Amino acid sequence: MLRHDHPKLSEYMTQCLPEFIQVNHYWDKQRDMVVAKILPGEFYMTTKNVAIATTLGSCISACIWDERSHIGGMNHFMLPITDKEAHEVSWGKRATDATRYGNFAMEHLINAILKSGGRKINLRAKLFGGAKVLNQMSDVGKKNIDFALAYLEKEEIVIESNDIGDFFPRKVIFEPRSGRAFIKRLDNLHNDTIIRRENDYSSQIYQKEVSGDVELF
């Protein structure tokens, strides 16, 4: 059961980092905890016992946490890298020109963890997504996977596990405090909504501005 009016959710929102206050939060009765749902171009970092959820097609989410201080977060990006400068980056801001790209999404998530007390030597990662869900010549998912693997290797961050590639979308729930991740593979053969919305988002992502209400899944 999901609720947006649970007293524990209200209590948590008074402690939520202001950079992420606009992210959709709900109370998950089954997990007995607050869950923050992030969208494409967003990332989320927490020092509390909060789960982070998203749904992925060709996009990638990197779940990164400090295994000793038990703080961490998740990003969600659609394109691997950009050379353009981001002059108006806001943590947690939906679909910015920066965090839709992997290089910025990784950088800002890691920096947020370190700023909150994490140490780079203690960081661990799990990778998800990168499916080939679009009928297109260019395999965006594969490019995202290659970028994420190369980035984490360069930063010397250990990848503990991954579920990447293939042809199916995934729902991901990550618990930074424990480092546990839960994956549900979705059937995209009978759900053209995922493909349609990813097509829409991929065409709009190159525009100067992306509407704040665009949701990939």
PDB file of all heavy atoms in Angstrom, residues 19 22 33 55 72 81 96 98 111 133 142 163 170 175 182 193 211 213:
ATOM      1  N   GLU A  19      17.490  20.156  -1.191  1.00  0.00           N
ATOM      2  CA  GLU A  19      17.745  19.977  -2.619  1.00  0.00           C
ATOM      3  C   GLU A  19      16.805  18.961  -3.257  1.00  0.00           C
ATOM      4  O   GLU A  19      16.617  18.962  -4.480  1.00  0.00           O
ATOM      5  CB  GLU A  19      19.192  19.511  -2.852  1.00  0.00           C
ATOM      6  CG  GLU A  19      20.249  20.488  -2.400  1.00  0.00           C
ATOM      7  CD  GLU A  19      20.684  20.256  -0.973  1.00  0.00           C
ATOM      8  OE1 GLU A  19      19.952  19.550  -0.234  1.00  0.00           O
ATOM      9  OE2 GLU A  19      21.743  20.772  -0.576  1.00  0.00           O
ATOM     10  N   GLN A  22      11.383  18.502  -3.673  1.00  0.00           N
ATOM     11  CA  GLN A  22      10.349  18.462  -4.718  1.00  0.00           C
ATOM     12  C   GLN A  22      10.188  17.074  -5.326  1.00  0.00           C
ATOM     13  O   GLN A  22       9.255  16.839  -6.090  1.00  0.00           O
ATOM     14  CB  GLN A  22      10.667  19.482  -5.819  1.00  0.00           C
ATOM     15  CG  GLN A  22      11.570  18.975  -6.936  1.00  0.00           C
ATOM     16  CD  GLN A  22      13.001  18.712  -6.480  1.00  0.00           C
ATOM     17  OE1 GLN A  22      13.442  19.237  -5.463  1.00  0.00           O
ATOM     18  NE2 GLN A  22      13.718  17.895  -7.221  1.00  0.00           N
ATOM     19  N   MET A  33       8.743   1.975   5.073  1.00  0.00           N
ATOM     20  CA  MET A  33       9.703   3.061   4.937  1.00  0.00           C
ATOM     21  C   MET A  33       9.253   4.060   3.865  1.00  0.00           C
ATOM     22  O   MET A  33       8.389   3.758   3.038  1.00  0.00           O
ATOM     23  CB  MET A  33      11.098   2.524   4.595  1.00  0.00           C
ATOM     24  CG  MET A  33      11.192   1.869   3.241  1.00  0.00           C
ATOM     25  SD  MET A  33      12.709   0.878   3.005  1.00  0.00           S
ATOM     26  CE  MET A  33      13.986   1.954   3.608  1.00  0.00           C
ATOM     27  N   THR A  55      12.047   3.668 -12.738  1.00  0.00           N
ATOM     28  CA  THR A  55      11.793   2.668 -13.770  1.00  0.00           C
ATOM     29  C   THR A  55      12.632   3.013 -14.984  1.00  0.00           C
ATOM     30  O   THR A  55      12.681   4.172 -15.405  1.00  0.00           O
ATOM     31  CB  THR A  55      10.305   2.614 -14.142  1.00  0.00           C
ATOM     32  OG1 THR A  55       9.523   2.490 -12.958  1.00  0.00           O
ATOM     33  CG2 THR A  55      10.030   1.436 -15.047  1.00  0.00           C
ATOM     34  N   GLY A  72      23.934   7.323   0.699  1.00  0.00           N
ATOM     35  CA  GLY A  72      24.105   7.124  -0.728  1.00  0.00           C
ATOM     36  C   GLY A  72      22.898   7.584  -1.507  1.00  0.00           C
ATOM     37  O   GLY A  72      22.007   8.245  -0.973  1.00  0.00           O
ATOM     38  N   ILE A  81      26.955  11.341 -22.216  1.00  0.00           N
ATOM     39  CA  ILE A  81      27.899  12.424 -21.950  1.00  0.00           C
ATOM     40  C   ILE A  81      27.579  13.631 -22.814  1.00  0.00           C
ATOM     41  O   ILE A  81      27.022  13.516 -23.895  1.00  0.00           O
ATOM     42  CB  ILE A  81      29.352  11.956 -22.207  1.00  0.00           C
ATOM     43  CG1 ILE A  81      30.370  12.952 -21.632  1.00  0.00           C
ATOM     44  CG2 ILE A  81      29.586  11.696 -23.685  1.00  0.00           C
ATOM     45  CD1 ILE A  81      31.777  12.399 -21.587  1.00  0.00           C
ATOM     46  N   THR A  96      17.160  18.768 -15.766  1.00  0.00           N
ATOM     47  CA  THR A  96      18.011  19.899 -16.073  1.00  0.00           C
ATOM     48  C   THR A  96      18.876  19.575 -17.273  1.00  0.00           C
ATOM     49  O   THR A  96      18.984  18.442 -17.707  1.00  0.00           O
ATOM     50  CB  THR A  96      18.930  20.231 -14.883  1.00  0.00           C
ATOM     51  OG1 THR A  96      19.818  19.124 -14.686  1.00  0.00           O
ATOM     52  CG2 THR A  96      18.137  20.493 -13.618  1.00  0.00           C
ATOM     53  N   ALA A  98      21.876  19.465 -17.166  1.00  0.00           N
ATOM     54  CA  ALA A  98      23.061  18.767 -16.685  1.00  0.00           C
ATOM     55  C   ALA A  98      22.789  17.312 -16.365  1.00  0.00           C
ATOM     56  O   ALA A  98      23.387  16.413 -16.956  1.00  0.00           O
ATOM     57  CB  ALA A  98      23.606  19.480 -15.445  1.00  0.00           C
ATOM     58  N   ASN A 111      29.434  13.789  -5.608  1.00  0.00           N
ATOM     59  CA  ASN A 111      29.759  14.976  -4.817  1.00  0.00           C
ATOM     60  C   ASN A 111      28.788  15.177  -3.659  1.00  0.00           C
ATOM     61  O   ASN A 111      29.182  15.616  -2.566  1.00  0.00           O
ATOM     62  CB  ASN A 111      29.777  16.220  -5.706  1.00  0.00           C
ATOM     63  CG  ASN A 111      31.002  16.286  -6.596  1.00  0.00           C
ATOM     64  OD1 ASN A 111      31.983  15.585  -6.359  1.00  0.00           O
ATOM     65  ND2 ASN A 111      30.962  17.120  -7.631  1.00  0.00           N
ATOM     66  N   VAL A 133      15.172  -0.902 -25.816  1.00  0.00           N
ATOM     67  CA  VAL A 133      13.710  -0.926 -25.897  1.00  0.00           C
ATOM     68  C   VAL A 133      13.178  -0.120 -27.071  1.00  0.00           C
ATOM     69  O   VAL A 133      11.985  -0.152 -27.352  1.00  0.00           O
ATOM     70  CB  VAL A 133      13.074  -0.401 -24.592  1.00  0.00           C
ATOM     71  CG1 VAL A 133      13.447  -1.289 -23.422  1.00  0.00           C
ATOM     72  CG2 VAL A 133      13.481   1.036 -24.323  1.00  0.00           C
ATOM     73  N   LYS A 142      23.231   0.672 -24.917  1.00  0.00           N
ATOM     74  CA  LYS A 142      24.606   0.176 -24.941  1.00  0.00           C
ATOM     75  C   LYS A 142      25.595   1.305 -24.676  1.00  0.00           C
ATOM     76  O   LYS A 142      26.587   1.132 -23.948  1.00  0.00           O
ATOM     77  CB  LYS A 142      24.891  -0.461 -26.298  1.00  0.00           C
ATOM     78  CG  LYS A 142      26.317  -0.984 -26.473  1.00  0.00           C
ATOM     79  CD  LYS A 142      26.628  -2.122 -25.493  1.00  0.00           C
ATOM     80  CE  LYS A 142      27.853  -2.923 -25.920  1.00  0.00           C
ATOM     81  NZ  LYS A 142      29.056  -2.081 -26.098  1.00  0.00           N
ATOM     82  N   ASP A 163      22.599  -5.265 -13.358  1.00  0.00           N
ATOM     83  CA  ASP A 163      21.581  -5.925 -14.190  1.00  0.00           C
ATOM     84  C   ASP A 163      21.341  -4.966 -15.350  1.00  0.00           C
ATOM     85  O   ASP A 163      20.528  -4.045 -15.263  1.00  0.00           O
ATOM     86  CB  ASP A 163      20.307  -6.167 -13.383  1.00  0.00           C
ATOM     87  CG  ASP A 163      19.288  -6.996 -14.178  1.00  0.00           C
ATOM     88  OD1 ASP A 163      19.648  -7.499 -15.250  1.00  0.00           O
ATOM     89  OD2 ASP A 163      18.140  -7.110 -13.719  1.00  0.00           O
ATOM     90  N   ARG A 170      13.055  -2.183 -16.542  1.00  0.00           N
ATOM     91  CA  ARG A 170      13.224  -2.630 -15.165  1.00  0.00           C
ATOM     92  C   ARG A 170      12.674  -1.596 -14.186  1.00  0.00           C
ATOM     93  O   ARG A 170      12.834  -0.398 -14.401  1.00  0.00           O
ATOM     94  CB  ARG A 170      14.715  -2.813 -14.834  1.00  0.00           C
ATOM     95  CG  ARG A 170      15.449  -3.841 -15.668  1.00  0.00           C
ATOM     96  CD  ARG A 170      16.942  -3.611 -15.560  1.00  0.00           C
ATOM     97  NE  ARG A 170      17.732  -4.687 -16.132  1.00  0.00           N
ATOM     98  CZ  ARG A 170      18.128  -4.745 -17.396  1.00  0.00           C
ATOM     99  NH1 ARG A 170      17.785  -3.778 -18.243  1.00  0.00           N
ATOM    100  NH2 ARG A 170      18.864  -5.746 -17.833  1.00  0.00           N
ATOM    101  N   GLU A 175      18.050   0.705  -1.494  1.00  0.00           N
ATOM    102  CA  GLU A 175      18.119   1.132  -0.104  1.00  0.00           C
ATOM    103  C   GLU A 175      19.573   1.487   0.221  1.00  0.00           C
ATOM    104  O   GLU A 175      20.392   0.604   0.477  1.00  0.00           O
ATOM    105  CB  GLU A 175      17.616   0.034   0.825  1.00  0.00           C
ATOM    106  CG  GLU A 175      16.162  -0.351   0.595  1.00  0.00           C
ATOM    107  CD  GLU A 175      15.709  -1.501   1.484  1.00  0.00           C
ATOM    108  OE1 GLU A 175      16.540  -2.017   2.267  1.00  0.00           O
ATOM    109  OE2 GLU A 175      14.537  -1.879   1.388  1.00  0.00           O
ATOM    110  N   PHE A 182      16.535  -4.014  -5.329  1.00  0.00           N
ATOM    111  CA  PHE A 182      15.496  -4.955  -5.735  1.00  0.00           C
ATOM    112  C   PHE A 182      15.088  -4.623  -7.172  1.00  0.00           C
ATOM    113  O   PHE A 182      14.786  -3.471  -7.485  1.00  0.00           O
ATOM    114  CB  PHE A 182      14.297  -4.848  -4.801  1.00  0.00           C
ATOM    115  CG  PHE A 182      14.644  -5.059  -3.359  1.00  0.00           C
ATOM    116  CD1 PHE A 182      15.065  -3.988  -2.571  1.00  0.00           C
ATOM    117  CD2 PHE A 182      14.573  -6.321  -2.789  1.00  0.00           C
ATOM    118  CE1 PHE A 182      15.397  -4.174  -1.236  1.00  0.00           C
ATOM    119  CE2 PHE A 182      14.905  -6.517  -1.457  1.00  0.00           C
ATOM    120  CZ  PHE A 182      15.323  -5.444  -0.691  1.00  0.00           C
ATOM    121  N   THR A 193       3.464   1.822 -23.588  1.00  0.00           N
ATOM    122  CA  THR A 193       3.602   3.107 -22.898  1.00  0.00           C
ATOM    123  C   THR A 193       5.057   3.422 -22.623  1.00  0.00           C
ATOM    124  O   THR A 193       5.516   4.554 -22.797  1.00  0.00           O
ATOM    125  CB  THR A 193       2.818   3.089 -21.576  1.00  0.00           C
ATOM    126  OG1 THR A 193       1.441   2.840 -21.845  1.00  0.00           O
ATOM    127  CG2 THR A 193       2.942   4.428 -20.857  1.00  0.00           C
ATOM    128  N   SER A 211      10.323  20.151 -20.460  1.00  0.00           N
ATOM    129  CA  SER A 211       9.229  20.449 -19.548  1.00  0.00           C
ATOM    130  C   SER A 211       9.344  19.630 -18.286  1.00  0.00           C
ATOM    131  O   SER A 211       9.638  18.442 -18.308  1.00  0.00           O
ATOM    132  CB  SER A 211       7.888  20.162 -20.235  1.00  0.00           C
ATOM    133  OG  SER A 211       6.827  20.305 -19.341  1.00  0.00           O
ATOM    134  N   ASP A 213       7.178  18.373 -16.442  1.00  0.00           N
ATOM    135  CA  ASP A 213       6.223  17.296 -16.216  1.00  0.00           C
ATOM    136  C   ASP A 213       6.435  16.130 -17.157  1.00  0.00           C
ATOM    137  O   ASP A 213       5.617  15.221 -17.220  1.00  0.00           O
ATOM    138  CB  ASP A 213       4.778  17.799 -16.307  1.00  0.00           C
ATOM    139  CG  ASP A 213       4.452  18.364 -17.687  1.00  0.00           C
ATOM    140  OD1 ASP A 213       5.353  18.341 -18.552  1.00  0.00           O
ATOM    141  OD2 ASP A 213       3.324  18.820 -17.871  1.00  0.00           O
TER     142      ASP A 213
END
